[in-house]
Amino acid sequence: MDSTRLDRWLTAVRVYKTRTAAADACTGGKVRLNGAPVKPSSLVRPGDRIEARVGKRERIVEVVKIIEKRVGAPAAAECYVD
């Protein structure tokens, strides 16, 4: 697997609690992929840079590994560089 939907990946690595919250953030302009606004269905690949506003905090992560299912926090932390 070399890519997945942005909303699935954000949920799998625990940036957002639910896929709905991730999708709403994307459509609300709170998520940028490589500097550009995105839709929830945008594809994420290793090496991509994601900027996400979660509450009052701005998170900037680089995709290292692609996953689609939500995993434990230690395993999720291996999929990105914060």
Side-chain angles (χ1 to χ4, degrees):
M1 175 173 31
D2 61 339
S3 65
T4 189
R5 288 176 55 109
L6 178 61
D7 58 344
R8 285 187 111 176
W9 190 84
L10 288 170
T11 305
V13 298
R14 299 169 172 256
V15 173
Y16 291 98
K17 285 189 175 188
T18 64
R19 188 169 170 189
T20 303
D24 290 344
C26 291
T27 56
K30 295 180 179 168
V31 179
R32 298 175 78 76
L33 178 64
N34 297 323
V38 292
K39 294 180 179 179
S41 61
S42 299
L43 294 179
V44 176
R45 293 176 179 83
D48 286 344
R49 181 179 180 194
I50 299 171
E51 301 167 26
R53 180 163 299 284
V54 183
K56 294 182 180 179
R57 184 174 176 205
E58 178 79 22
R59 295 205 50 196
I60 300 172
V61 296
E62 182 178 332
V63 179
V64 174
K65 183 177 171 185
I66 299 297
I67 60 172
E68 291 187 340
K69 303 270 183 181
R70 193 169 173 99
V71 294
E78 296 174 359
C79 297
Y80 63 89
V81 175
D82 201 352

